[in-house]
């Protein structure tokens, strides 16, 4: 070091002009953005925080179990509702009686229903449609809700218009809209899906709009705006990450709500004609109070509760983990 | 502030009108109109042309279309003196087919067709349905009529202008003698001795326009009535609003003083008498009881109306939710991060995640095991039958109150003014009751009216499970029977309730918190 200092060269001695000595290099936009900080990856941190809680692994396992039984099990085993309809001794059996009659198989562990069908098969078959409906509904409502909510929060003109739309929709109970819709059109899967989505996204868009309004005028966004970021960039890069935790949390309450509303619609006789969890409840209502027939009613009830709780917990915990403030 | 709320109410009404218009569009334009006959026994009994005629008659009655049979047209012509009675009788019977008409009939049929087609009507001629070459099948006689669908906009206009029905002395079209209102201090329905002021009318639809009786709200009026459309199948011929507010259950007989002076033990409610043209002449019983054609009376029943049942259950359930939920929420906030908090959170999570139908059914089963009545019975009502529905409704609402109360309390606990109060040396008790609770209660109070209406609309499920004769059950029944007028009526009822509750919530919040003002001037 000392040697180097002694050998300092005076640039004037070289006899070269400034142009020869210096070269103007272009500004490296990527390097400007780089801040020297510990390496931080958002999604990496999300999963790190998520898996830090050991119960989450248990919940995920339960979720995997549900997915396998709702989507793989009925496809592999098949489900024939009227397979045993001619056999009068096969109806309304308790698990023990069913196993005794048909021999042990996973099919019979919850007994049989009114037409001799396996309760276990029926409830997973029903869960497949109920869960698909809930997930599709979530996908559609949240896609529309997020896009509309972002625009709603940013544009004052859209705000005025959308507030009026929301006033109209929120003044009528959602159940009423859905039931009238299902009444008017044929009670099929797509009708029910459409009915649940036709106004369902407004609530999501509205709560998102409120969050966007809270965050959009924060100082860091003002600073970003001063530095020349476009509105789209602010929305996608600055605000959306803040929203993820919020979105996942409301998703956690919405998925069970969709499952519940399908069950409710089927229970009052407005559901789709196919077998769903709600439809099973509707068909097995009389079995609820009949001694010995309870299995065919309570198993689907328990399953819908179980699926809802698992999805709710995953959503809640993922929502917590998605909040950057928990990443410390 | 009054002006602000008036404006809010007005805007709310506009949005309800739009929503109702959308629902009307759906049920009246997109729904197959023959579906309204789904529960109609008479419809299934009829056959051939008679069935078609019946559908058109009913559609006219329920405002779907304007329907003019050929015979009515001829009668109108006779009444106006254009044709004589003999001419009418000669051409009234049309042939079995168009070719079978004689020349005179064919001329009138052509005139009828031309007249109505010019007005945009569709003229339909149904030929006779023959069982054998010479015998006409049951209900198969030939017929001729014209109809025109009522445009949806006209329908909506009729609906909204008809909601408030003002009674007046020119209501009755027939000759009824001297029209006018009379005021009496001694209501004849009580025998004419007792002091009971009443206003009675002649020429009005209702006989009694103002009267007093022993039931809430003690003074009743019939000047203005709310009409939401006549029910087709749920409560045939009765208005949807009346279906919601009329008492149900068993008849109650009491000493009734009829206008002729007859005194009888009867369930007739003379105060509800409405005009029914010619009814006295046709009915021997009425001749002995009444002195005029105001003979159409409701019957006194002992149980509450649908609205009453729905409100009783939802108000008590909401009150219970606040009474139980708030202290638990406060406890959770105070013992934050202890087992109390975790237990409370677990409860909230379970209630939020498990479908309402599932835990309602479980509670019903538990109630059944405990020997409590799990279905409503109007024949022998007991207070016990309220327990399970109220509990089922409250159990979900309690979780909601706990969750929010805890949230608000925790938010307040972390705020700077609380730290300041603590540093000033205030006791924890003082901080909680005087500062934190006061502030946390504001949003809770805001939610009270919303909680009650929420419980009301959520009661659809409850009323279905426990068979409560309430408004929610009526909606489900109406949807099941395709009773469109009732669907629209109930939707309007819920819509208006929602606006009122939102405004009430804001008023309550402003009362609780003097900092809140809804007018920009006061700020």
């Amino acid at each position: 070091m000392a040697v180097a200092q002694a050998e300092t060269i005076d640039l004037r001695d070289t006899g070269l002009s400034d142009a020869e000595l210096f070269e103007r290099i272009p500004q490296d936009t990527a390097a400007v953005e780089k801040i020297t900080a510990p390496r931080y990856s958002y999604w990496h941190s999300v999963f790190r925080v998520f898996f830090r809680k050991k119960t989450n692994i248990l919940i995920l396992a339960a979720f995997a179990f549900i997915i396998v039984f709702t989507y793989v099990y009925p496809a592999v085993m098949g489900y024939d509702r009227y397979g045993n309809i001619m056999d009068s001794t096969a109806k309304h059996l308790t698990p023990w009686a069913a196993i005794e009659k048909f021999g042990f198989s996973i099919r019979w562990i919850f007994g049989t229903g009114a037409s001799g069908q396996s309760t276990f098969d029926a409830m997973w078959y029903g869960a497949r449609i109920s869960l698909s409906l809930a997930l599709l509904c979530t996908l559609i409502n949240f896609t529309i809700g997020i896009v509309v909510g972002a625009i709603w929060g940013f544009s004052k003109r859209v705000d005025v218009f959308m507030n009026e739309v929301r006033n109209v929709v929120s003044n009528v109970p959602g159940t009423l809209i859905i039931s009238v819709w299902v009444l008017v059109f044929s009670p099929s899967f797509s009708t029910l899906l459409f009915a649940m989505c036709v106004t369902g996204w407004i609530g999501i868009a509205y709560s998102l709009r409120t969050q966007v309004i809270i965050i959009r005028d924060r100082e860091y966004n003002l600073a970003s705006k001063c530095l020349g970021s476009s509105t789209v960039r602010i929305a996608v890069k600055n605000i959306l990450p803040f929203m993820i935790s919020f979105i996942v949390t409301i998703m956690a309450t919405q998925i069970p709500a969709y499952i519940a509303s399908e069950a409710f619609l089927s229970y009052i006789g407005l559901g789709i004609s196919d077998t769903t969890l709600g439809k099973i409840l509707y068909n097995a209502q009389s079995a609820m109070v009949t001694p010995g027939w309870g299995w065919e009613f309570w198993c689907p009830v328990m399953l819908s509760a179980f699926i809802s709780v698992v999805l709710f917990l995953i959503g809640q915990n993922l929502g917590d983990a998605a909040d950057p403030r928990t990443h410390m | 502030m009054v002006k602000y709320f008036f404006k809010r109410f007005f805007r709310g009404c506009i949005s309800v009108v739009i929503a109702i218009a959308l629902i009307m569009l759906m049920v009246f334009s997109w729904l197959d109109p023959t579906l309204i006959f789904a529960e109609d026994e008479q419809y299934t009994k009829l056959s051939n042309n008679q069935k078609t005629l019946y559908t058109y008659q009913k559609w006219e009655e329920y405002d779907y279309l304007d329907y003019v049979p050929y015979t009515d047209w001829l009668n109108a012509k006779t009444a106006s003196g254009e044709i004589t009675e003999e001419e009418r009788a000669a051409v009234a019977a049309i042939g079995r087919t168009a070719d079978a008409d004689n020349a005179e009939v064919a001329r009138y049929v052509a005139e009828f067709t031309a007249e109505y087609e010019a007005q945009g009507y569709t003229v339909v001629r149904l030929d006779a349905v023959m069982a054998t070459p010479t015998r006409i099948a049951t209900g198969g006689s030939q017929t001729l009529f014209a109809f025109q669908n009522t445009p949806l906009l006209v329908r909506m206009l009729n609906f909204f202008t008809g909601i408030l029905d003002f009674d007046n002395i020119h209501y009755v079209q027939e000759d009824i003698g001297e029209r006018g209102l009379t005021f009496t201090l001694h209501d004849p329905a009580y025998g004419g001795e007792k002091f009971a002021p009443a206003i009675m009318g002649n020429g009005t639809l209702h006989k009694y326009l103002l009267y007093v009786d022993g039931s809430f709200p003690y003074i009743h009026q019939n000047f203005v009535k709310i009409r939401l459309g006549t029910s087709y199948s749920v409560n045939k011929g009765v208005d949807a609003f009346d279906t919601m507010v009329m008492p149900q259950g068993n008849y109650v007989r009491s000493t009734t003083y009829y206008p002729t002076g007859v005194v009888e033990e009867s369930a007739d409610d003379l105060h509800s008498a409405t005009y029914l043209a010619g009814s006295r002449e046709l009915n021997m019983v009425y001749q002995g009881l009444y002195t005029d054609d105001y003979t159409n009376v409701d019957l006194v029943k002992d149980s509450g109306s649908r609205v009453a049942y729905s409100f009783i259950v939802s108000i008590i359930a909401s009150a219970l939710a606040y009474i139980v939920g708030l202290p638990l929420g406060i406890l959770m906030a105070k013992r934050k991060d202890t087992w109390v908090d975790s237990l409370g959170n677990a409860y909230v999570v379970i209630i939020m995640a498990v479908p309402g139908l599932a835990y309602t059914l479980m509670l019903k089963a538990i109630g059944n095991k405990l020997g409590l009545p799990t279905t409503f019975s109007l024949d022998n009502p007991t207070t016990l039958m309220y327990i399970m529905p109220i509990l089922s409704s409250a159990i979900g609402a309690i979780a909601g109150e706990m969750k929010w109360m805890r949230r608000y309390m925790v938010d307040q606990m972390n705020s700077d003014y609380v730290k300041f109060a603590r540093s000033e040396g205030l006791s924890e008790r003082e901080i909680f009751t005087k500062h934190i609770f006061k502030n946390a209660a504001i949003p809770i109070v805001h939610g009270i009216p919303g909680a009650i209406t929420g419980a009301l609309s959520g009661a659809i499920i409850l009323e279905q499970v426990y068979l409560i004769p309430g408004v929610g059950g009526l909606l489900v029944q109406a949807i099941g029977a395709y009773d469109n007028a009732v669907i629209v009526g109930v939707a309007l009822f819920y819509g208006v309730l929602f606006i009122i509750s939102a405004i009430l919530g804001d008023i309550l919040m402003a009362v609780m918190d003097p900092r809140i003002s809804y007018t920009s001037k006061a700020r």
Side-chain angles (χ1 to χ4, degrees), chain A residues 135-148:
Chain A
L135 293 179
L136 271 177
C137 217
T138 312
L139 184 75
I140 296 173
N141 277 343
F142 276 80
T143 313
I144 302 176
I146 290 168
V147 173
V148 175

Side-chain angles (χ1 to χ4, degrees), chain A residues 1-238:
Chain A
M1 279 275 223
V3 181
Q5 264 175 3
E7 285 177 11
T8 310
I9 301 163
D10 192 340
L11 286 178
R12 276 166 299 189
D13 300 340
T14 57
L16 295 167
S17 70
D18 279 1
E20 283 167 303
L21 273 171
F22 298 102
E23 185 191 356
R24 188 175 279 277
I25 56 165
Q27 191 183 10
D28 183 353
T29 42
V32 167
E33 295 276 311
K34 209 172 229 166
I35 300 164
T36 315
R39 221 174 118 263
Y40 172 79
S41 150
Y42 176 72
W43 288 108
H44 186 83
S45 307
V46 170
F47 287 110
R48 186 172 50 83
V49 173
F50 185 74
F51 285 111
R52 199 156 56 194
K53 233 170 139 183
K54 289 292 168 269
T55 47
N56 282 342
I57 296 167
L58 211 68
I59 296 167
L60 270 188
F63 181 63
F65 172 80
I66 289 170
I67 292 294
V68 166
F69 271 91
T70 40
Y71 289 103
V72 182
Y73 175 78
V76 173
M77 298 287 278
Y79 169 63
D80 183 6
R81 199 179 155 193
Y82 301 109
N84 291 332
I85 193 147
M86 302 307 288
D87 187 352
S88 61
T89 56
K91 288 165 191 172
H92 300 298
L93 294 181
T94 57
W96 304 278
I99 289 168
E100 200 173 300
K101 181 172 166 59
F102 295 106
F104 184 81
S105 151
I106 193 165
R107 242 185 197 167
W108 309 112
I109 56 169
F110 289 147
T112 62
S115 40
Q117 82 277 30
S118 145
T119 304
F120 189 75
D121 285 8
M123 76 187 199
W124 288 113
Y125 187 80
R128 191 174 65 104
I129 296 172
S130 297
L131 193 61
S132 305
L133 185 74
L135 293 179
L136 271 177
C137 217
T138 312
L139 184 75
I140 296 173
N141 277 343
F142 276 80
T143 313
I144 302 176
I146 290 168
V147 173
V148 175
I151 300 170
W152 191 347
F154 267 103
S155 161
K156 294 233 161 66
R157 222 179 288 159
V158 173
D159 191 36
V160 172
F161 173 74
M162 285 305 293
N163 278 335
E164 290 307 315
V165 172
R166 183 181 164 268
N167 273 342
V168 173
V169 173
S170 64
N171 276 327
V172 184
T175 333
L176 190 81
I177 298 177
I178 298 177
S179 26
V180 171
W181 195 274
V182 176
L183 171 79
V184 171
F185 299 100
S186 62
S188 67
F189 182 84
S190 51
T191 308
L192 196 55
L193 180 65
F194 195 79
M196 285 164 81
C197 294
V198 74
T199 53
W201 55 272
I202 290 185
I204 296 156
Y206 181 73
S207 41
L208 217 70
R209 164 244 181 211
T210 315
Q211 293 294 316
V212 168
I213 286 177
I214 291 169
I215 295 180
R216 88 173 167 206
D217 292 333
R218 290 241 173 112
E219 283 80 359
Y220 80 97
N221 281 320
L222 280 177
S224 182
K225 204 171 183 176
C226 291
L227 289 172
S229 307
S230 68
T231 311
V232 175
R233 194 187 153 86
I234 291 179
V236 175
K237 292 267 172 183
N238 296 6

Side-chain angles (χ1 to χ4, degrees), chain B residues 68-80 82-85 87-94 108-109 112:
Chain B
V68 187
Y70 172 65
T71 43
D72 279 14
W73 175 74
L74 282 178
N75 288 341
K77 265 185 156 357
T78 320
S80 67
E82 252 178 87
I83 53 172
T84 61
E85 181 59 37
E87 278 177 293
R88 190 198 68 80
V91 295
I94 58 168
Y108 275 96
V109 169
F112 173 77

Side-chain angles (χ1 to χ4, degrees), chain B residues 200-216:
Chain B
M200 295 160 71
N202 196 33
T204 47
L205 171 67
H206 294 89
K207 185 175 177 119
Y208 284 87
L209 294 164
L210 197 77
Y211 61 93
V212 293
D213 70 7
S215 64
F216 183 79

